[in-house]
Amino acid sequence: MNPTASSAREEILARIRAASGDAPSTDARIINRDYLAAHVETDLVDLLAENLTDYRARVYRAAAPADVAVIVAGLLHGPRLVVPDGVPDAWIPAEATALRDQPALDPATLDLTHAVLTGCALAIAETGTIVLDGGPGQGRRALTLVPDHHICVVRCPEQVVASIPQALPLLDPTRPQTWIAGPSATSDIELDRVEGVHGPRLLDVILLAARS
Amino acid sequence: MTGVYVGMPAFPTAARAATRNAQLRANLTRATHTIRDRRARAVAELEDWEGLRQAGKAIKDETLAHLDDYLLQLEAKVTEAGGTVHWARDADEANRIVTELIRATGGSDDQPHEVVKVKSMATQEIGLNEHLAAEGISAYETDLAELIVQLGDDLPSHILVPAIHKNRTEIRDIFRERMGEWGRPAPEGLTDTPADLAEAARLHLREKFLRAKVAVSGANFMVAETGTLVVLESEGNGRMCLTLPETLISVVGIEKIVPTWRDLEVFLQLLPRSSTAERMNPYTTMWTGTHEGDGPKQFHLVLLDNGRTQTLADEVGRQALRCIRCSACLNVCPVYERAGGHAYGSAYPGPIGAILTPQLRGTASELDASLPYASSLCGACFEACPVAIDIPEVLLHLRERVGREAKEHGGHRLERAAMKAATYAMTHPAVYRAAENAAVRARKLIPKKVPFGAGKAWTETRDLPELPEQTFRQWWKETHR
Ligand code: SF4
């Protein structure tokens, strides 16, 4: 660290200490959390479906892994499908050309693919949100960003939680996270909502039933 | 290039010019009312909104009370996770640090330095784009509205929707005329439908995303406990910038900290609903330092003071540092609705700008001295604010300060600017009506003491100052006869 850099740090810290000198020195850092841990208790999968649809994701239900492959086949606009490690083979339709991320696909190649198929870390029903954390079946962040079509499978009900307060303790902050609520959108032009600017313009969510 | 806010006229002059522009007014009125109504619905969905709001306030007060501790904790965690932390006392220092970091990434004559940018209030505040341009570095704004503003040589006018003052036809014309100068031109026969315009932006920016080596961002939150940075967005341009380049430089105000990972549960509920009126914004990215095999290999965090510690030193004014930049206060403000965002002369328009800018910059200029008067004190901003910043209280406090300074320094100039701004706020009929009835409503909501958290200690020995009993008109009459 050069001298000016370290003095900037020391100076800012000193200014802060002088400025907040009237703050308590004790460790009573208790926040009154007078809010709910969740706003709903039941029918989380239905609520998730409803909220995802409300933000223009398309939602499908699969009773078994083989159904996933059939649904995916029907959704694809072309054969080139990015498939991160850990996606079960049963989800991949026979007619797709599965592109593995090994060696890592460069952005230009990703830009030429038709879709990406992933799982997720969890989903939040109340807000219609899917969380990816780079775990098995999710891949690195670029894989779900550059292709124009993201197909995401949520295992139900075990991956569905009610609320944000229930989701955070299950997530590891040291992992890179992407929270997704509907496809890319903008309201920048006269506040008219348009789906799809830079992220995937299509978000398809497949709710895969338990014990299947 | 995005313009800078230099030599801006004081608020009343700029506001009068803006109110004469019928198009601007029509755009603003429609937009603010639309967002306001949507937001009310999104907030009404949560029965515990007030509890979340009070928790948000308490968490931010706790952060501000022990800001030194939290910054050190954050620095340690970011460093541990492979990031590098820099400290900047002011705008110049921050701009210099960012420039050096960009230079250090290499580049050559045939490959000049360029960076992609995610919309960030902090970099607007320090005039980073202008500084980089002067250093020969092109900074491409990638948020659709910021792109419109940048291509149009314009200034943002709203925190959330910076191009709110432009309609679709104006935007199409800007795209047709200017995109070619910056990269891929607008498609032939571009229409003015929002979908077509968004598509044009997608095509124009995609090549830049795919080749970008360096990105510059801000952050909505930084978690001290874990070293995690959080960016909320809608379009995916944020994800592009935060994920694809090799180097990521984030410039973030020192007040953007929350102490714990758990604290995000409050702000991730408060911010989207207050801001875009959504249950959740389409994309939220969280990263902690660098991640092996995923995203940027270099991560630099530039912690920005630039007047924040000076703001922190003011017992009444420091609450402005709780702001999470949701823009709810703009959308309910009768003065903003008529004056437009440019009249406030800084990156921060509307009620929050009226209290934040004069504190960050001081009140030596006419513009900054006039800002605390750019309000009818109706209290709607306070009611809307998700972290319960008592904006009217801070406005009154700053008016007192401007008055005192004007006397001490014989600054009749400043006083005149201030009075003109007050006259402006008072003489606009709708502004005036709102002021008549709302202040009393707002007063009831102000607790005598801050009941918990760090604020408690700050106010333990004294009551919070009261809003005056009288209306703004009475106040004016009595003090300026
Ligand atoms: S002052 Fe409050 S309402 Fe205004 S932008 Fe900041 S957080 Fe939002």
Side-chain angles (χ1 to χ4, degrees):
Chain A
M1 204 183 284
N2 70 45
T4 35
S6 84
S7 68
R9 178 178 187 271
E10 297 322 316
E11 197 178 319
I12 292 170
L13 289 170
R15 287 178 189 171
I16 290 168
R17 284 170 192 142
S20 53
D22 53 348
S25 53
T26 53
D27 232 19
R29 305 182 184 191
I30 294 160
I31 302 296
N32 185 354
R33 296 181 190 271
D34 190 11
Y35 53 84
L36 302 172
H39 299 86
V40 283
E41 308 280 319
T42 52
D43 301 323
L44 297 184
V45 176
D46 289 342
L47 182 64
L48 174 67
E50 196 182 305
N51 284 336
L52 279 165
T53 311
D54 198 24
Y55 286 149
R56 319 280 172 89
R58 302 184 302 190
V59 177
Y60 309 85
R61 298 196 188 235
D67 297 345
V68 173
V70 174
I71 295 168
V72 171
L75 294 173
L76 288 178
H77 297 282
R80 295 167 62 79
L81 179 68
V82 179
V83 183
D85 279 355
V87 168
D89 287 341
W91 294 0
I92 306 168
E95 45 278 68
T97 312
L99 297 166
R100 303 285 172 175
D101 192 32
Q102 282 182 358
L105 300 163
D106 62 36
T109 308
L110 284 174
D111 198 29
L112 296 172
T113 60
H114 296 105
V116 56
L117 173 65
T118 71
C120 66
L122 54 81
I124 305 167
E126 276 182 13
T127 56
T129 308
I130 286 162
V131 181
L132 304 185
D133 70 354
Q138 299 164 55
R140 62 198 170 92
R141 285 172 288 172
L143 301 190
T144 50
L145 172 61
V146 181
D148 204 13
H149 182 184
H150 181 190
I151 306 170
C152 182
V153 179
V154 182
R155 296 175 202 267
C156 301
E158 67 266 33
Q159 286 190 316
V160 184
V161 300
S163 65
I164 295 173
Q166 288 182 2
L168 282 163
L170 301 176
L171 294 165
D172 176 357
T174 64
R175 304 185 72 98
Q177 287 174 30
T178 308
W179 294 37
I180 299 170
S184 161
T186 183
S187 301
D188 280 350
I189 300 164
E190 296 184 15
L191 293 176
D192 272 2
R193 190 175 163 103
V194 175
E195 265 77 46
V197 195
H198 304 294
R201 285 182 285 191
L202 282 177
L203 176 65
D204 287 322
V205 179
I206 301 174
L207 304 174
L208 173 58
R211 282 174 293 283
S212 54
Chain B
M1 280 278 97
T2 310
V4 235
Y5 304 93
V6 287
M8 285 286 294
F11 182 84
T13 319
R16 247 191 307 276
T19 43
R20 274 198 296 266
N21 182 337
Q23 177 69 60
L24 169 65
R25 266 194 66 169
N27 292 0
L28 269 182
T29 302
R30 176 169 171 263
T32 52
H33 285 258
T34 308
I35 314 181
R36 192 196 300 189
D37 297 345
R38 282 186 202 157
R39 178 183 177 275
R41 280 198 298 275
V43 165
E45 269 188 19
L46 298 188
E47 72 229 59
D48 56 342
W49 183 258
E50 190 51 33
L52 285 164
R53 184 175 181 247
Q54 291 304 328
K57 171 178 189 272
I59 292 166
K60 281 293 187 177
D61 279 344
E62 163 59 24
T63 305
L64 295 173
H66 301 99
L67 190 55
D68 52 341
D69 288 2
Y70 290 125
L71 281 165
L72 291 172
Q73 215 182 324
L74 177 80
E75 179 187 50
K77 286 293 171 181
V78 169
T79 310
E80 198 181 295
T84 310
V85 178
H86 310 261
W87 301 69
R89 278 165 285 209
D90 53 27
D92 284 349
E93 194 163 28
N95 285 332
R96 244 189 347 262
I97 293 170
V98 175
T99 309
E100 280 166 25
L101 289 171
I102 296 169
R103 287 254 162 78
T105 59
S108 60
D109 285 349
D110 31 299
Q111 232 202 333
H113 285 290
E114 57 174 38
V115 299
V116 286
K117 279 192 71 204
V118 201
K119 174 164 171 279
S120 133
M121 308 296 301
T123 58
Q124 258 170 48
E125 174 191 322
I126 62 173
L128 178 67
N129 289 5
E130 294 73 27
H131 179 88
L132 292 180
E135 299 282 337
I137 298 168
S138 309
Y140 298 113
E141 291 292 349
T142 63
D143 173 76
L144 178 53
E146 293 284 350
L147 175 73
I148 295 165
V149 166
Q150 188 176 43
L151 291 174
D153 274 334
D154 199 353
L155 288 166
S157 64
H158 190 281
I159 294 178
L160 173 70
V161 263
I164 201 168
H165 57 291
K166 294 280 186 218
N167 66 25
R168 60 185 71 193
T169 315
E170 294 171 303
I171 295 168
R172 183 206 53 198
D173 293 345
I174 292 170
F175 278 12
R176 274 190 185 163
E177 283 160 31
R178 304 302 298 279
M179 268 184 172
E181 291 168 37
W182 287 78
R184 182 172 171 154
E188 281 294 311
L190 178 65
T191 76
D192 66 359
T193 62
D196 267 16
L197 295 170
E199 169 75 11
R202 176 187 175 91
L203 294 170
H204 177 76
L205 285 173
R206 186 145 283 235
E207 54 169 20
K208 293 191 168 44
F209 287 132
L210 297 186
R211 69 162 190 245
K213 296 269 183 288
V214 187
V216 176
S217 83
N220 294 98
F221 306 103
M222 307 188 281
V223 184
E225 176 186 52
T226 61
T228 308
L229 270 76
V230 184
V231 167
L232 282 72
E233 50 130 359
S234 299
E235 297 172 11
N237 63 308
R239 291 176 69 192
M240 290 279 177
C241 294
L242 301 168
T243 308
L244 295 184
E246 278 161 22
T247 302
L248 171 62
I249 305 166
S250 301
V251 182
V252 189
I254 51 175
E255 83 286 14
K256 293 269 146 197
I257 291 188
V258 298
T260 67
W261 176 247
R262 182 186 178 183
D263 293 331
L264 290 176
E265 73 188 19
V266 174
F267 294 100
L268 291 178
Q269 294 191 74
L270 287 176
L271 183 51
R273 286 179 201 261
S274 265
S275 181
T276 51
E278 290 166 308
R279 292 183 196 102
M280 194 83 212
N281 49 295
Y283 298 133
T284 302
T285 297
M286 305 189 191
W287 73 99
T288 305
T290 54
H291 301 280
E292 181 67 35
D294 188 348
K297 294 187 179 66
Q298 311 273 342
F299 169 56
H300 295 277
L301 172 60
V302 182
L303 295 169
L304 178 71
D305 180 346
N306 204 34
R308 284 161 177 77
T309 48
Q310 174 186 311
T311 307
L312 185 66
D314 186 316
E315 277 182 53
V316 179
R318 64 165 63 120
Q319 57 185 307
L321 298 175
R322 291 204 296 261
C323 176
I324 55 173
R325 313 273 189 264
C326 71
S327 72
C329 58
L330 277 62
N331 300 326
V332 297
C333 178
V335 175
Y336 172 82
E337 185 185 324
R338 276 157 192 83
H342 295 154
Y344 295 81
S346 85
Y348 306 105
I352 181 60
I355 62 167
L356 190 59
T357 308
Q359 297 200 81
L360 293 178
R361 297 203 293 219
T363 47
S365 78
E366 280 185 46
L367 169 66
D368 294 334
S370 71
L371 284 176
Y373 294 84
S375 165
S376 63
L377 299 181
C378 77
C381 49
F382 173 48
E383 281 181 62
C385 179
V387 286
I389 299 173
D390 190 343
I391 296 176
E393 182 194 24
V394 182
L395 286 166
L396 284 176
H397 174 73
L398 293 174
R399 284 178 187 187
E400 201 233 328
R401 191 164 108 188
V402 169
R404 204 174 50 234
E405 283 169 6
K407 274 198 197 72
E408 279 166 17
H409 308 299
H412 296 300
R413 202 172 46 89
L414 297 188
E415 204 160 26
R416 263 201 317 276
M419 290 315 122
K420 276 196 210 151
T423 313
Y424 171 83
M426 202 185 68
T427 51
H428 284 70
V431 172
Y432 179 70
R433 268 199 306 280
E436 285 295 276
N437 53 35
V440 180
R441 236 182 327 143
R443 283 183 68 244
K444 294 211 186 84
L445 299 170
I446 303 169
K448 274 273 194 299
K449 288 186 195 287
V450 183
F452 41 71
K456 179 168 189 293
W458 287 339
T459 56
E460 232 155 27
T461 53
R462 54 174 196 91
D463 283 346
L464 289 171
E466 295 234 46
L467 275 182
E469 296 273 353
Q470 77 236 70
T471 63
F472 177 67
R473 187 164 50 156
Q474 291 164 326
W475 171 82
W476 171 268
K477 275 198 180 140
E478 278 171 28
T479 46
H480 299 90
R481 233 193 286 270

